[in-house]
Each structure stands twice: as C-alpha cells, then as structure tokens.
Amino acid sequence: MSTLIETPPVKHKREVIDRAVIRFAGDSGDGMQITGSQFTNTVALYGNDIATFPDFPAEIRAPAGTLPGVSGYQLHFSSSDVYTPGDAVDVLIAMNPAALKMNVADLKANGILIVNSDAFAENDLRKAKMDSNPLEDHSLDKYRLFSVELERLTKTALDDLGLDAKSISRCKNFFALGMCYWLYNRSMDPTVRWIEGKFKNKPLLVEANKLAMKAGYSYCEATEAFQISYEIPPAQLAPGFYRNLSGNQALALGFVTASQKSGLRLFQGSYPITPASDILHELSQYKDFGVMTFQAEDEIAAITSSIGAAYAGALAITTTSGPGMALKTEALGLAVAVEIPLVICDIQRGGPSTGLPTKTEQADLLQALFGRNSEAPIPIIAPATPSDCFWAALEASRIALKYMVPVIILSDGYLANGAEPWRIPNVDEIPAFPVKFATEVNSPNGYLPYKRDPQTLARPWAVPGTPGLEHRVGGLEKQDVTGNINYEPLNHENMVRIRAAKVAAVVQEIPDVVPAGDAEGDLLIVAWGSTHGAITAAMKAQRELGRKIGHVHLRYLNPLPANLGDVLLRYKTVLVPELNMGQLLWVLRAKYLVDAIGLNKIQGRPFKQIEVEQKIEEILGENSR
C-alpha cells in the first residue's frame, strides 16, 4: 500500500465509524466528476476499501440548472469489505436545485445535506421545476441541512487573485471538496499535488483551486454549525501495491499485458461511443509498448480494420457499445468465417437505439449470443467488477489466440466508469501465452490453411507474405482443410459444425463453478457481470439470518461451465437477477429446463443490495430462516 497521508490536527469532536456513502451532485459544468474522483483517490491512498458510481448526464450540453443536466458521483468507502457504491447516501452535496431534486430521495433520514444556497434564486428554482424554495419550506427538515453560500465564500477567498468571475465560480467545487475533507478527516495533500500537476501551465488556477479547497476546510473548522467529523480507519486489504482503477482502464491495461505476454503488437480499431471511448483514450497513451490505436470513421471501418490487423498477425481488438455492436455484426460473421482471432468489447448501455447513452444495462447478452446471420457462435466472457476487467481482457485475448476465434467481452457502463482498489499483480504471476505462426508448408500438396489442431480445432495462423503459405480469405465458404472456395452442401455443413465445435471446445478452458455461500440449499442465485457486488452483499446479509443460499457468478457465458447443470439441481429454487428483461434466465430455462425466477431491473441504474434482499425474502419467506 502507499504511505498513509497524515490528517490535519483535530480541534473538534471526532466519531469513528465503519463506512460512509457520499454523493456529489451538480451541473455537468460544476466539476462533480473531478471532485468525486479526487475524494476517491484520497480515501484510496488512506487505505479504505472503495466502490464508486459516476452518473453522467446523457445530454452533452444540457441547459445549465435543468434536470437533464445533473451530473453525480457516488462513493462508498469503508474500513471493511465494500461490494457496492451503497444503497442510501449518508452525505449529499447539491450544487443547485436540480441536483437536489434528482438526488435527495436517496439521502438517509438525518443524513448530512450540504447545499449551495447561492444557486436557489427564483430563476434556478424554475429551471428545476420547483414551485417553492426547499431551503425555506421545511421539506428538508428530516435531514441535517447545511445551507452554504458556496459562490460568495469562494469569491471572498479568491478576491485578491484578479481572476474573472467565471473562473472564480468554477472553483466552488474545490470549496465543497475542502468541506468534505474536513468532514472525514482527510488530508488535502494528494489533491494539492494533483492541482499542481493538472494546472502546471496556469499558476493562477493552481493558486485559486488550492485556496478554494483550503477555504472550504477552514470554513468547517471555524463555523459552529459543524460540530463533529468522522474517522473511517483503513481497511484490512491483502498485502500488496494498489491503485484505484476503473473498468475501462482495467480493460486497457489487460490488453497491453496480453500483448506483452503473447509477444504480439496490440492494435485497436474503434469508433468513439459512450461508454467505451475511454478504452481508446487510455490505449493511445501506450505507444511506447508498441500499441497502435486507430480512430475509425464508423463502426464498420473500426472492426474491419481490426480484422485486417489480426490477419496481419497482431493482437487485434475493437470496442463499442450496444448500437455500435449492431453495426459490427456483418463483419463479426466474417471474423467467424475466416477464423481470425479478435476481441470485441461491448460496454453495454441502456437501449434500444441511442437509448440511455450514459446509463448502465445488461441487455446485449442475446445479441452477443445470436446477433449474426446464420450459424456464427462466439465465446463470451463477462467481468464481474471493475478490476476484474483486467483479467477478462487477458483471458479473452488468450482464448482468441489459442482457438483462432473472435471473442466478445460483455462489460457495461457501471463497470466501465466505476472504480475500486486493484492489487497490481507481479508480472511473473501472469502466465505467458506465446503465439506460433505458421512458417512452413504443412503437407506434401502445399499449404493447408484449415489443417486443424486436434485439441482446439484451431487452424494455423499464417502471416501474409510468408513464402509458400499463400491462401484464400474472405466470407465465401471454404473447403475443409484446403481453404479453396466451395459450395458443396455436405462441406458447408461440416464447416459449420466444426466452427461450432471449436467454440464448444473452449469449455475445456473453463473451471467448474463452485458456488459461493452454501454448496446446496434453498436458493441458488445465478448471475453475470456487474450485478456481482449487490448480490454478494445481499447473500452475505441473508445467510447471516440462517438462510441456505448459494451464488454462482458466471464469467463464461458461451460456452457455459460443464458442471453448471449439476449445480442447479442442488437447490430448491434458482434466482437470476439481471439488468434486462431476463436474458440469462431465458438461456438457463432453455438449456437446463430449470424453472428459474427472474429479478429484472431496467432503469439505467445498478441493483441495490436491498432490492436483491427483498426478492430473496419474497421467495423464501420467514420459514426458511
């Protein structure tokens, strides 16, 4: 772990607590994501376990002060294990009426509410569609309300710097951040260093943001309104070096690592789309590792450029979200037919069509399984947490290269933007999977591009330009072994079955599932992807009540683990929570003839722990305790 940061001396009452959930909310121009990220980095350096939930507006430039323009950042930090960003909020910082209206329902009774009172003029209330001023009508009486003139106080702190009014107003988020550092006894030093690096070419802004943050801290220290602060001790994390990591950052690092472990150059061909674009931004910084990024003009160009890179011998990936995945499907079929290794990252979001561009969903599973013409099966892997995205990228790359197939990674907006502590692995802990290209003619009759490995059914990989290894590529059906174009009915059926058998053979790479919790009992929860945290927390709480519950979280969605059917039979009831209308539920019912029950949420938000617990209570009732 990093060296602990010293907290400032305390002159007030301090209460030690186990955990807290804090949410910053304001306009997209109020710097809420920066504020939340800085607070997150500070508590991570202190040693707390954390989970975050950034919530972006769908509109790029929604009118200031309106409901569609609200941006939020929620952080759950604790001295013990954290599984979710938290169900209810302990502290809400609302920069305007719209932010208050959109978020106050999640604040606990008697929770701390810090409001920028300077933004509650009549015009501000009208933009937020409020009939009365909540700071005056007693509607907030059940909360500990701190009405703070953030803009006036920030202006007073920065008056002597000579900044224009707009620049001064932009510093108010750091005033609020300073207040939060006081509230939770955290040092400002990490953020001071970040400010000095971020604005190093603008010394006036460095001084302004530092002064605003220190002013917020001093305000809490001086005013009698704030009589208590809180201390959350460090968590007992496993020994090692940690960094705070989002899911998209983890995917990028995983692909760079896969490139190094395979000995191949990494190529990414992608078209920018929310919430996948950050992977392209992140990988563009790794040119020193031989990474090549190509921002294509559209989704079709993105995937076909990656297919070309794979044909040329690179570890090739392409990234997108649901609508872009739909545009890539024809080329995905080409990758299946040509049997080219390729990794496709689908960072799922709310749909259909443009849908909810910045909100999370899990509704692309059936598209990933079946969203191509004809018979074109593809292995599918789903990470469970932001840091697990690193390992998912490695595993998807390894399978793609070993079996000469395209592989789909199903992440989502919650994993992509959420963050948690990630223990940096020792490079030697990660096995290498070097690639052997075809270098010689493999038969007396010349090169046979579809002469397969008997275990994996993978065809050889010949880099273009290798003497004597010329062969045909393209979407037309090939003759088995020779690779010549062939339209014979029995050959076509044979090739279709071989391609399906190759994907099915991936099951030999998949470990048997071992349920968390009880190995048999009243209820088995089967799920995938970002529902992992809420389910883990809910199962833990319900087992403490004496219920017999197991949890299988599927990383491999195609093919499914070999023993999954046997595990399903050990439990009286199967529950499948998903952020869709029941897609894995449909697959399990069809494949295993199990009368599973769905828990489905389609709101652009992840599950809360309480929602899963309530479903468990509904299914099992009081008698199973």
Side-chain angles (χ1 to χ4, degrees):
M1 290 293 295
S2 302
T3 303
L4 297 185
I5 304 296
E6 292 292 332
T7 55
V10 180
K11 300 178 182 178
H12 51 273
K13 182 181 176 183
R14 177 187 296 181
E15 181 180 335
V16 177
I17 58 176
D18 176 61
R19 62 184 66 238
V21 178
I22 185 169
R23 183 184 296 174
F24 301 90
D27 261 337
S28 55
D30 282 336
M32 294 296 93
Q33 303 303 321
I34 290 175
T35 308
S37 296
Q38 286 307 304
F39 193 85
T40 297
N41 291 340
T42 297
V43 299
L45 281 170
Y46 187 75
N48 295 123
D49 197 10
I50 59 175
T52 69
F53 179 45
D55 190 16
F56 303 95
E59 304 286 342
I60 295 175
R61 294 191 182 276
T66 62
L67 300 177
V70 174
S71 176
Y73 190 105
Q74 181 166 314
L75 165 68
H76 182 188
F77 59 111
S78 175
S79 58
S80 55
D81 290 339
V82 166
Y83 301 108
T84 75
D87 284 8
V89 178
D90 297 296
V91 179
L92 172 63
I93 295 91
M95 305 299 281
N96 59 32
L100 177 66
K101 184 175 182 178
M102 294 291 287
N103 292 279
V104 73
D106 292 330
L107 183 61
K108 293 178 180 177
N110 204 40
I112 295 173
L113 176 58
I114 299 173
V115 174
N116 174 24
S117 59
D118 286 331
F120 277 71
E122 184 177 342
N123 187 47
D124 301 309
L125 297 171
R126 185 170 60 253
K127 289 179 182 177
K129 299 182 179 179
M130 287 184 170
D131 297 326
S132 62
N133 189 337
L135 304 184
E136 301 170 353
D137 64 9
H138 300 286
S139 61
L140 304 176
D141 284 354
K142 66 178 178 178
Y143 310 112
R144 285 181 281 169
L145 174 63
F146 297 94
S147 183
V148 182
E149 298 170 301
L150 284 181
E151 294 189 33
R152 184 187 68 80
L153 292 169
T154 303
K155 183 178 184 300
T156 300
L158 307 184
D159 250 351
D160 295 336
L161 295 181
L163 280 173
D164 61 273
K166 186 175 182 180
S167 296
I168 290 175
S169 179
R170 284 179 173 174
C171 295
K172 65 181 179 290
N173 62 322
F174 280 96
F175 190 102
L177 181 59
M179 294 177 66
C180 293
Y181 283 151
W182 181 92
L183 193 60
Y184 287 102
N185 286 282
R186 292 294 183 261
S187 170
M188 293 178 283
D189 291 348
T191 301
V192 167
R193 292 194 293 270
W194 179 85
I195 290 171
E196 290 172 345
K198 177 71 174 177
F199 302 107
K200 61 184 178 182
N201 296 323
K202 299 178 179 178
L204 201 56
L205 289 183
V206 170
E207 189 64 22
N209 285 304
K210 286 164 59 175
L211 274 176
M213 183 170 61
K214 292 175 182 177
Y217 192 99
S218 299
Y219 172 80
C220 293
E221 189 73 24
T223 182
E224 294 182 0
F226 291 86
Q227 298 176 351
I228 186 170
S229 67
Y230 301 95
E231 176 69 22
I232 299 177
Q236 298 300 309
L237 301 174
F241 291 97
Y242 287 78
R243 63 164 288 186
N244 191 38
L245 195 71
S246 73
N248 277 350
Q249 289 174 321
L251 282 173
L253 283 175
F255 287 125
V256 174
T257 305
S259 170
Q260 297 296 304
K261 289 295 180 177
S262 64
L264 302 179
R265 187 170 186 183
L266 178 63
F267 176 90
Q268 179 188 6
S270 291
Y271 177 74
I273 183 172
T274 302
S277 301
D278 284 343
I279 305 171
L280 184 62
H281 302 159
E282 190 75 17
L283 282 177
S284 67
Q285 302 175 50
Y286 287 91
K287 293 182 176 65
D288 290 346
F289 287 83
V291 176
M292 181 183 296
T293 52
F294 168 55
Q295 182 173 315
E297 66 269 29
D298 56 43
E299 294 284 3
I300 298 171
I303 187 171
T304 50
S305 68
S306 297
I307 290 173
Y311 177 61
L315 170 58
I317 69 169
T318 186
T319 58
T320 190
S321 189
M325 194 72 173
L327 293 169
K328 292 181 187 291
T329 54
E330 182 181 0
L332 265 176
L334 173 63
V336 171
V338 179
E339 301 186 42
I340 283 289
L342 176 69
V343 180
I344 307 97
C345 297
D346 178 6
I347 316 300
Q348 301 163 97
R349 72 190 206 189
S353 187
T354 309
L356 307 175
T358 60
K359 312 302 180 184
T360 196
E361 203 165 85
Q362 284 185 296
D364 293 354
L365 174 57
L366 295 183
Q367 178 180 221
L369 282 168
F370 307 118
R372 292 162 295 283
N373 65 297
S374 191
E375 301 286 351
I378 292 179
I380 301 169
I381 290 175
T385 66
S387 61
D388 188 41
C389 290
F390 173 84
W391 302 104
L394 268 170
E395 180 68 351
S397 301
R398 187 185 68 82
I399 289 174
L401 296 172
K402 183 174 181 178
Y403 287 82
M404 292 292 287
V405 290
V407 178
I408 294 172
I409 293 177
L410 284 181
S411 180
D412 60 43
Y414 171 51
L415 293 182
N417 297 316
E420 64 181 356
W422 174 60
R423 190 181 72 83
I424 301 172
N426 190 313
V427 176
D428 297 333
E429 296 174 4
I430 305 171
F433 42 95
V435 172
K436 293 183 179 178
F437 293 109
T439 56
E440 299 177 352
V441 174
N442 56 6
S443 86
N445 299 320
Y447 177 61
L448 301 176
Y450 289 90
K451 185 178 181 180
R452 301 176 182 277
D453 179 283
Q455 181 182 9
T456 64
L457 299 179
R459 74 176 187 88
W461 195 2
V463 175
T466 306
L469 304 190
E470 296 84 359
H471 60 284
R472 297 177 185 274
V473 292
L476 291 174
E477 187 62 279
K478 309 298 187 299
Q479 187 179 48
D480 189 16
V481 186
T482 69
N484 295 325
I485 294 173
N486 187 287
Y487 301 113
E488 295 175 6
L490 292 179
N491 175 76
H492 174 57
E493 179 164 342
N494 181 49
M495 290 295 280
V496 168
R497 292 188 181 278
I498 287 175
R499 289 190 289 265
K502 180 166 63 168
V503 172
V506 174
V507 77
Q508 63 194 326
E509 307 285 331
I510 301 175
D512 284 348
V513 293
V514 178
D518 293 296
E520 58 183 28
D522 297 316
L523 179 67
L524 177 65
I525 303 174
V526 183
W528 62 283
S530 64
T531 58
H532 179 270
I535 293 170
T536 300
M539 182 193 71
K540 183 178 179 181
Q542 289 289 309
R543 289 184 73 237
E544 288 175 356
L545 299 176
R547 300 183 189 277
K548 302 281 286 183
I549 304 173
H551 173 203
V552 166
H553 211 79
L554 296 171
R555 165 178 286 234
Y556 302 88
L557 294 167
N558 191 40
L560 291 164
N563 72 325
L564 180 57
D566 294 333
V567 171
L568 293 173
L569 297 176
R570 298 183 203 161
Y571 299 83
K572 296 177 183 177
T573 308
V574 176
L575 172 65
V576 186
E578 296 180 87
L579 299 177
N580 57 44
M581 291 181 68
Q583 298 190 9
L584 177 62
L585 178 69
W586 185 90
V587 171
L588 295 179
R589 283 177 168 175
K591 186 173 178 64
Y592 300 107
L593 303 180
V594 58
D595 188 19
I597 299 169
L599 171 60
N600 306 106
K601 181 176 180 178
I602 321 155
Q603 300 173 15
R605 290 182 169 271
F607 278 116
K608 294 181 177 180
Q609 175 183 336
I610 189 62
E611 292 170 333
V612 181
E613 287 202 60
Q614 286 172 346
K615 189 64 177 181
I616 293 172
E617 294 273 1
E618 175 189 321
I619 294 171
L620 298 184
E622 295 294 324
N623 295 333
S624 67
R625 292 191 182 186

